[in-house]
Every structure is written in C-alpha cells, then in structure tokens.
Amino acid sequence: MLKMRITNSKPTKQAERCQTLAVNKKKEEMENEEVLNQFGKMYIESVRDNSLHTLDNILNGGAKASSIKKLNEELKSLSLTTDTIKLIQRIATRMVDATLHNTLFLFEQELDGWQISNPDEEIDSIANISDGLSGELYSSNGWIKKYSRYEDCE
C-alpha cells in the first residue's frame, strides 16, 4: 500500500495570521518585561535603597536630620554589640522588603480600583502585565537582586 502526504510549501493565510500574532505577542511580552523592569528599578532604588540608607544613617551616625541623630545617640548609649547591630539591620531589611511586597500585593488585587498605571507607556495597570507583581521582587533575577545596592537578607 502506497502512502502519500500532500503538503503545501506556501503558508496559508491563517498560518500567516497565526505567525504574525505570535510575533506580535512576543514583542508585546518583551515590551512589558522592559516596562516592568523600569518600574522595578525605580521602585527598588527609590523606596528600598532609600529606606535602607536611612537605616544606615541611624546606625552609623551619618545623618544630618535631628530626629535621626537622636536615634543614633540613643543606640550609642545602649552599647550594642556588632552582632546586635547586624541583627537590627537584618530585621529592618526584612521589614522593608515585607512592606514592598505588601504594597505590590495590594496593587495586584486592585482593591477598590486602585492600580499603578503609566499612560506614556500605554499601561493601564502594571499588575496586568506581570504574572505576579509582588513576586517580581524575588529570585536570582528579581528586582532586589538586580537593582538594589543592598543585599537581600536571607
């Protein structure tokens, strides 16, 4: 018995449309990834790093603000060990990261219509272009590892 297979080397209109849609979807995913990373870089540098810099100033006495100087003086009067100061740094870093996570999770839920948008990038809700906005912080390729001047507190 002879078996034959008939093929057409020229793609059909439907196949061309599918290929175009696939290419457009890939381009949109790449653009979304870029927008997410732009937001992540800004979020980490402006919020996480600035908060941890304030902590450094409190612990090391590098601040000019009187309220931070006062906290530093109070800490000095306690004669804390280096290990205790490192523990304070780890606890504070964990709390900053938890706050970042909880804030992103809030916007992921879009409670009462609140969302993060960017009309210039034609993004109605940044949560809609991520598969889990709060999860963008973590992993070896997450925003904290990529953009923060400060180590992750593991």
Side-chain angles (χ1 to χ4, degrees):
M1 178 182 287
L2 180 63
K3 291 185 178 180
M4 292 180 60
R5 188 166 139 186
I6 300 172
T7 62
N8 182 352
S9 61
K10 183 178 179 184
T12 64
K13 293 282 185 195
Q14 183 178 4
E16 286 175 352
R17 279 193 302 267
C18 286
Q19 186 176 14
T20 301
L21 288 174
V23 167
N24 288 343
K25 182 174 174 132
K26 186 68 174 171
K27 182 180 176 188
E28 183 179 322
E29 287 172 1
M30 289 171 55
E31 289 171 357
N32 287 346
E33 179 86 12
E34 187 178 315
V35 169
L36 278 171
N37 284 325
Q38 286 173 358
F39 173 79
K41 185 176 190 308
M42 178 197 65
Y43 190 59
I44 294 301
E45 290 175 352
S46 298
V47 181
R48 185 179 199 266
D49 287 358
N50 285 342
S51 297
L52 295 177
H53 179 72
T54 300
L55 173 66
D56 282 348
N57 284 335
I58 291 169
L59 295 175
N60 302 320
K64 294 178 181 159
S66 61
S67 60
I68 293 177
K69 281 183 181 180
K70 184 177 179 188
L71 286 172
N72 178 259
E73 289 169 12
E74 289 178 42
L75 283 172
K76 279 183 182 177
S77 72
L78 298 175
S79 302
L80 301 175
T81 66
T82 302
D83 287 342
T84 303
I85 290 173
K86 286 181 182 178
L87 178 61
I88 291 169
Q89 288 173 319
R90 286 189 8 243
I91 292 168
T93 300
R94 175 74 67 199
M95 295 309 302
V96 167
D97 290 349
T99 302
L100 295 174
H101 173 94
N102 292 334
T103 302
L104 291 173
F105 188 73
L106 170 78
F107 286 107
E108 247 177 284
Q109 304 307 306
E110 294 187 2
L111 299 174
D112 296 328
W114 289 100
Q115 56 194 5
I116 301 170
S117 63
N118 185 333
D120 292 342
E121 296 290 341
E122 298 178 6
I123 303 295
D124 294 329
S125 171
I126 198 160
N128 291 341
I129 63 172
S130 171
D131 61 354
L133 196 55
S134 56
E136 300 285 350
L137 294 169
Y138 309 110
S139 83
S140 59
N141 199 30
W143 293 343
I144 290 173
K145 291 269 193 236
K146 279 199 290 195
Y147 304 121
S148 185
R149 296 185 319 239
Y150 296 88
E151 290 184 23
D152 192 6
C153 77
E154 295 177 5

